Structures are given as C-alpha cells and as structure tokens.
Amino acid sequence: METNVQTQNTVILAKKEASMRRLLNMIGIFIFGGLSLTNVTNPLPSSYYTKEFLLFIGGSAIIYYLMVNIYFIGQIGRKLVFTMLILLGCFSLFMIFYLSTNSIPH
C-alpha cells in the first residue's frame, strides 16, 4: 500500500511587519506631537526661537517618518536606513569634536 502525499507551497504573509510599521508611526505621532505641545505649555521667549523650534521638530519628523517607511520597503530599504544611521552617527561624533575645539561666542 502506498501513501499519496501531496505538498503545497503556500506563502504565509505575516502582519508582523505591517503592525510594527504602524506602531512606529504611532510612536512618532506621540513623540512629535508632544514636542510641539511643549511650545504651548512652556512658550519660548520670542517668535524667532519658536520658529526655530518648530522647524527643528518638523525636520526631525520628516527624517523619522522617511526612515521608518523606507525601512519597510524591503532589504534594500533596510540597508539604506542602516547606512543613513551610520552616517548620522559619524556626523554627530564629528560635530562633538568640532564644537569642542571651535567654541562659539555667545
């Protein structure tokens, strides 16, 4: 007696990546929303500082959401995000040494 074994190749798509992407986007909303609410609860002394603060928050939010959404494109997106993180880290270390040796008069 022979057994008749049938195999099926099915691809199971997990919703893990989609839910992680959604979670990171929600975390970003709370982070940048909270930062912008800081200006309401503790206003800055002049409109110039307020403008700079909001531009910083907007620029940071654009970089954050761009990197999160590029990460979930695929393997190339992940390599690109890790490369950008390494470059940002190297730039930060460079700025530490640069600003410690070249002080700015206040």
Side-chain angles (χ1 to χ4, degrees):
M1 211 184 241
E2 286 186 35
T3 58
N4 188 7
V5 178
Q6 296 178 352
T7 59
Q8 293 180 347
N9 293 333
T10 59
V11 177
I12 299 172
L13 297 175
K15 292 189 176 186
K16 183 178 181 181
E17 282 195 10
S19 64
M20 182 62 73
R21 184 180 194 173
R22 185 175 177 196
L23 175 68
L24 289 173
N25 284 326
M26 293 294 288
I27 288 172
I29 289 171
F30 284 111
I31 288 172
F32 297 111
L35 281 172
S36 55
L37 279 178
T38 302
N39 193 29
V40 175
T41 59
N42 192 9
L44 295 170
S46 72
S47 64
Y48 176 74
Y49 291 131
T50 303
K51 180 181 172 185
E52 280 189 359
F53 182 64
L54 292 177
L55 283 173
F56 171 75
I57 292 173
S60 299
I62 288 170
I63 291 171
Y64 175 81
Y65 285 115
L66 188 70
M67 289 179 72
V68 164
N69 290 310
I70 287 175
Y71 180 82
F72 288 103
I73 288 175
Q75 193 65 25
I76 294 173
R78 290 180 181 167
K79 289 180 183 178
L80 181 65
V81 168
F82 288 135
T83 304
M84 288 190 314
L85 286 173
I86 289 170
L87 290 175
L88 280 171
C90 291
F91 180 72
S92 296
L93 290 173
F94 169 75
M95 288 306 292
I96 288 170
F97 292 115
Y98 177 77
L99 291 174
S100 66
T101 58
N102 300 323
S103 61
I104 300 171
H106 288 82

